[in-house]
């Protein structure tokens, strides 16, 4: 059976202007998502957006920034969120620093909102079990204390 393949986020969604119209993912493990993966990822992003608005009480611009970071990372990796691993995040940040010269503040933004999505998925047994049942993958941590250390260390040194 041939899988239907669609691309997510080809337009400038959620205020993220860094990857408009990306033809191919930038991540080394990137691939085209199946229709089921794309639909489930969009559902997951919509639930996370509602979570940010409803339970985190974030304003419109903050939610737009958060979803831009999440969708930008997803488009760059070319993978659904449940397939993300720490190496994807490290590769993404290295790419952003090298090509866009992003600073610690923007790196911290990516860490904050991607870690928030990770926590949202991992702490919800229903979401994790649904992903496992539909795609045979158990979501894992992709933002760890280890790959966030350089930012935390530099921020601490700067405050002194």
């Amino acid at each position: 059976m041939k899988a239907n393949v669609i691309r997510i986020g080809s337009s400038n969604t959620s205020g993220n202007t860094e990857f408009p119209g990306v033809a191919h993912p930038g991540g080394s493990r990137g691939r085209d998502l199946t229709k089921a993966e794309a639909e489930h990822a969009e559902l997951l992003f919509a639930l996370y957006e509602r979570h940010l608005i409803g339970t985190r009480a974030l304003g419109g611009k903050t939610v737009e920034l958060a979803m831009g970071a999440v969708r930008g990372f997803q488009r760059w990796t070319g993978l659904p969120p449940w397939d993300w691993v720490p190496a994807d995040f490290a590769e993404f940040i290295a790419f952003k620093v090298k090509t866009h010269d992003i600073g610690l503040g923007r790196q911290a933004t990516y860490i904050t909102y991607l870690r928030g999505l990770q926590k949202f998925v991992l702490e919800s047994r229903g979401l994790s079990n649904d992903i496992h049942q539909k795609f045979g993958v158990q979501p894992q941590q992709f933002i760890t204390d280890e790959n966030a250390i350089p930012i935390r260390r530099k921020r601490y040194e700067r405050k002194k």
Side-chain angles (χ1 to χ4, degrees), residues 25-113:
S28 61
R29 299 182 327 116
R31 59 180 171 78
D32 289 330
L33 301 181
T34 65
K35 183 177 180 182
E37 287 176 328
E39 288 173 353
H40 204 78
E42 281 303 316
L43 174 64
L44 189 63
F45 293 158
L47 290 172
Y48 181 55
E49 186 172 6
R50 271 189 256 158
H51 167 73
L52 292 175
I53 295 168
T55 61
R56 305 291 297 164
L58 299 179
K61 293 284 185 183
T62 306
V63 171
E64 187 176 314
L65 176 68
M67 295 313 297
V70 168
R71 290 179 191 278
F73 182 65
Q74 190 280 322
R75 281 192 304 272
W76 189 84
T77 62
L79 298 168
W82 49 90
D83 282 342
W84 295 344
V85 297
D88 296 327
F89 180 71
E91 185 180 5
F92 175 71
I93 290 297
F95 168 79
K96 297 295 283 175
V97 168
K98 185 177 179 181
T99 61
H100 296 286
D101 196 29
I102 66 168
L104 293 176
R106 187 65 178 157
Q107 292 175 43
T109 298
Y110 281 111
I111 286 175
T112 298
Y113 296 120

Side-chain angles (χ1 to χ4, degrees), residues 150-160:
I151 293 170
R152 191 177 306 143
R153 183 178 296 143
K154 286 184 179 181
R155 278 188 156 179
Y156 177 75
E157 289 171 0
R158 185 174 61 212
K159 287 180 182 177
K160 284 184 178 180

